[in-house]
Amino acid sequence: MNHILRRSAAALLIAGAAATAAAEKPAVITLNLDPSQASTVIPPEIYGQFAEHLGSCIYGGIWVGPESSIPNTDGYRNDVLQAFRDLKIPVIRWPGGCFADEYHWRDGIGPKEQRPRMVNSNWGGTVEDNSFGTHEFFNFCELIGAEPYLSGNVGSGTVEELAKWVEYITAEDGPMAAERKQNGREKPWKLKYLGVGNESWGCGGSFRPEYYADVYRRYQTYCRDFNGNHLYKIASGASDYDYNWTDVLMRRAKDNMDGISLHYYTVTGWDGSKGSATEFTDDDFYWTMGKCLEVEDIIERHDSIMTGYDPKKRIGLLVDEWGTWWDVEPGTNPGHLYQQNTMRDALVAALSLNVFHRHADRVKMANIAQVANVLQSMVLTEGDKMILTPTYHVFRMYIPHQGARFIPIDLQGVPTIEVPSERSATPRILPMVSATASENDGVVTLSLANVNLRSPYTIRIPLTPLVSDKKFKTIGINGEILTSKNVSDYNTFDNPDLVSTASFSDYKINKKEGTLSVTLPPASIVNLTIK
Ligand code: AHR
């Protein structure tokens, strides 16, 4: 079925449910959570980002060069630096993506004017001048306080090239360290996350899994731990539903890896139109929510394969590329993947992060694609202007979940609708409300998302297990909401705050009943901190 047919089918299935919801009083949903059940720590790295040499992600988005008239610190845009610091980005993956397997790191060190140029053949044939290289990336990570995650070139590189890159970055002494020092960096950097190839089944070399497993084993052998640095080695993993890739890699290389990646995009129509980022029907919207939630089934299946080989869950599943992928904005270079970002994207972000939380025992990192100006980005830039996207606001609202302990949630009475599934004749059940909670230092953070475009919902939460003060006298609640008049609203350089957060107070404590009732407007994300 092509995506047009799929979406027409969605119309039939959704119409009934939406009409019913609109006619009735808001359904009351019961949400139970007990902080004493909090267990798995949500790895902060689930809030990771991805920056590729693609379109204006690096050049223009992060890096403008020290000579630029755009306010900058050593070449990095000040507005973007601040936005990223505020987001507490734990880890950032670079230089690709597909670009990584054509990147030769030696081209990006030394005096800028002597750096060779190359054609970025994956992404629009743009000429890359290599002015943003290893030093620029590692210094950037230091400036925003993020852990670097390097994606190494396996497809068109050599074992020696990757081994020497690790040495150049992390060794205190020796020939590579001497070269680094000559290029202005005395102290080695720390490098934890090392990806050995990217999408090695595709743009990273078109490998078959058996062959890649052996290549992986060979490459990682020569990537050494220098001077107390300890590498966390990541094998290039599957795309979406390719369970065989995970099985073969685990069988043949599990003892040589700390993590394996997974890429999953909320996208349709790889061979044609993916749909506009900003103009979409209700049916398109619900289809997108269903497609985004499919990542949960996929994670569960990869996890169960991994568990067959690694029952103690030592090896992490790293969703190191995810997010929405729409048609590029009209008039922009099709190879630069520049797209707008609406409340629909914000809801995809919230639902996806909720899924990652639920699987935090296996999902040790996730990197949304990408941090600036590409796909589902955090910021968009134009000349000296920068705007924060609705997705940025979700990541900012969710900060308290980073490193907090996950609390399982029991939701009762959530209305559902059926949406067509990409992979099966059986429709997918889409719950209208999604929630996640965590505890840190006695503070519970509860994030709630309502994906119904027409109906509000009231969420009733028994307070007794939640707060120790049985009379609810000292309970302190802070609320914040992200919503907008239309789900297709987005921020522009002329109207940068159309979609942004506001304080939220549509909740009531019923002391007699011992409950907290929260009313979620249609298409909204609400964050509550409770102590
Ligand atoms: O994020 C854009 C591209 O999507 C990446 O370069 C590649 O790894 C994936 O196919």
Side-chain angles (χ1 to χ4, degrees):
M1 244 191 325
N2 68 30
H3 73 281
I4 307 290
L5 280 175
R6 272 201 309 267
R7 288 178 188 181
S8 314
L12 294 174
L13 293 161
I14 289 163
T20 316
E24 288 169 3
K25 260 183 81 184
V28 178
I29 296 164
T30 302
L31 185 154
N32 293 298
L33 81 170
D34 178 355
S36 71
Q37 302 293 308
S39 52
T40 319
V41 169
I42 297 170
E45 290 76 15
I46 280 178
Y47 291 82
Q49 298 284 339
F50 171 33
E52 180 166 13
H53 287 238
L54 194 180
S56 49
C57 182
I58 301 287
Y59 299 108
I62 294 172
W63 176 257
V64 287
E67 314 303 331
S68 173
S69 59
I70 297 173
N72 69 83
T73 303
D74 301 332
Y76 310 95
R77 305 177 62 114
N78 288 344
D79 49 4
V80 168
L81 281 179
Q82 193 53 50
F84 289 176
R85 284 180 182 132
D86 294 345
L87 216 48
K88 301 205 184 314
I89 296 175
V91 58
I92 188 155
R93 178 173 182 252
W94 175 84
C98 294
F99 180 79
D101 281 284
E102 289 192 56
Y103 181 63
H104 299 285
W105 67 271
R106 287 196 155 279
D107 296 349
I109 56 169
K112 293 235 162 70
E113 51 300 343
Q114 286 169 26
R115 296 187 189 178
R117 293 154 82 85
M118 68 177 281
V119 173
N120 189 339
S121 35
N122 280 291
W123 304 119
T126 308
V127 175
E128 159 74 51
D129 70 2
N130 278 306
S131 54
F132 190 96
T134 303
H135 289 247
E136 290 74 22
F137 173 63
F138 278 81
N139 292 343
F140 169 63
C141 290
E142 283 184 348
L143 282 170
I144 63 167
E147 193 90 52
Y149 172 3
L150 273 196
S151 206
N153 180 348
V154 169
S156 72
T158 65
V159 179
E160 184 188 11
E161 185 184 12
L162 186 56
K164 290 260 160 72
W165 200 12
V166 172
E167 184 177 339
Y168 181 90
I169 293 162
T170 58
E172 262 167 30
D173 290 308
M176 300 314 298
E179 198 176 345
R180 184 194 66 236
K181 290 174 192 176
Q182 208 178 8
N183 287 331
R185 173 75 186 199
E186 186 63 29
K187 265 189 7 197
W189 291 284
K190 285 278 176 222
L191 171 64
K192 182 172 178 188
Y193 298 108
L194 178 70
V196 180
N198 166 74
E199 297 196 350
S200 300
W201 39 265
C203 66
S206 307
F207 291 89
R208 287 168 300 140
E210 291 78 7
Y211 182 59
Y212 171 72
D214 284 347
V215 170
Y216 170 80
R217 289 168 61 124
R218 176 170 176 234
Y219 269 68
Q220 65 78 37
T221 303
Y222 299 97
C223 295
R224 313 279 190 194
D225 286 341
F226 292 92
N227 307 107
N229 186 67
H230 185 69
L231 294 172
Y232 179 102
K233 296 174 181 171
I234 301 153
S236 170
S239 169
D240 317 284
Y241 318 92
D242 186 355
Y243 304 110
N244 179 54
W245 184 277
T246 301
D247 187 50
V248 173
L249 261 289
M250 288 298 292
R251 186 161 6 107
R252 296 187 171 219
K254 70 172 187 329
D255 296 337
N256 310 94
M257 66 169 83
D258 299 296
I260 184 167
S261 65
L262 169 69
H263 289 181
Y264 182 79
Y265 284 98
T266 297
V267 62
T268 188
W270 281 115
D271 45 353
S273 169
K274 298 177 174 58
S276 160
T278 55
E279 287 169 26
F280 49 88
T281 63
D282 288 5
D283 295 347
D284 292 335
F285 169 82
Y286 287 116
W287 181 87
T288 304
M289 296 300 114
K291 172 75 180 168
C292 120
L293 283 177
E294 222 161 272
V295 75
E296 185 147 30
D297 305 351
I298 291 171
I299 287 172
E300 281 167 5
R301 282 198 58 186
H302 286 287
D303 181 12
S304 96
I305 292 165
M306 291 174 75
T307 299
Y309 297 98
D310 174 35
K312 294 198 172 144
K313 304 206 180 207
R314 178 188 68 79
I315 299 171
L317 181 63
L318 279 55
V319 191
D320 64 13
E321 287 186 29
W322 67 275
T324 55
W325 193 322
W326 310 118
D327 290 341
V328 298
E329 285 305 299
T332 64
N333 185 329
H336 287 184
L337 310 186
Y338 178 84
Q339 69 188 38
Q340 254 296 354
N341 197 299
T342 67
M343 252 322 281
R344 174 175 65 166
D345 297 270
L347 284 158
V348 167
L351 266 48
S352 305
L353 291 167
N354 296 355
V355 170
F356 301 152
H357 287 185
R358 281 198 284 279
H359 296 278
D361 59 339
R362 179 67 86 183
V363 176
K364 297 298 175 197
M365 189 193 291
N367 307 72
I368 190 168
Q370 300 193 3
V371 75
N373 294 328
V374 171
L375 299 177
Q376 191 177 352
S377 59
M378 302 296 117
V379 298
L380 296 174
T381 63
E382 189 180 84
D384 63 355
K385 295 190 189 144
M386 181 205 71
I387 52 175
L388 306 176
T389 65
T391 300
Y392 178 97
H393 292 301
V394 176
F395 272 68
R396 220 251 319 114
M397 286 166 86
Y398 270 52
I399 287 173
H401 292 302
Q402 290 191 23
R405 290 184 312 140
F406 174 75
I407 311 175
I409 280 181
D410 170 48
L411 273 171
Q412 302 284 340
V414 179
T416 57
I417 61 170
E418 291 183 346
V419 288
S421 157
E422 181 98 4
R423 305 279 293 178
S424 135
T426 318
R428 161 166 289 281
I429 305 297
L430 173 65
M432 293 285 97
V433 168
S434 166
T436 195
S438 64
E439 184 275 336
N440 198 359
D441 223 2
V443 179
V444 170
T445 302
L446 174 62
S447 303
L448 303 159
N450 177 5
V451 301
N452 194 311
L453 293 174
R454 308 277 172 265
S455 296
Y457 291 117
T458 298
I459 317 289
R460 196 178 147 275
I461 307 161
L463 279 170
T464 310
L466 204 51
V467 286
S468 49
D469 168 15
K470 299 296 170 232
K471 296 198 168 139
F472 315 118
K473 277 191 182 145
T474 57
I475 184 166
I477 301 180
N478 266 310
E480 193 178 19
I481 185 166
L482 182 69
T483 191
S484 197
K485 194 162 167 243
N486 302 302
V487 74
S488 56
D489 283 348
Y490 54 94
N491 296 332
T492 63
F493 297 98
D494 294 328
N495 194 358
D497 294 316
L498 181 65
V499 188
S500 70
T501 52
S503 103
F504 174 81
S505 53
D506 201 357
Y507 56 83
K508 271 191 226 104
I509 296 176
N510 183 332
K511 288 190 181 164
K512 225 165 114 192
E513 208 183 75
T515 56
L516 169 68
S517 290
V518 186
T519 301
L520 302 178
S524 66
I525 300 161
V526 164
N527 224 40
L528 297 172
T529 53
I530 307 165
K531 56 179 172 193

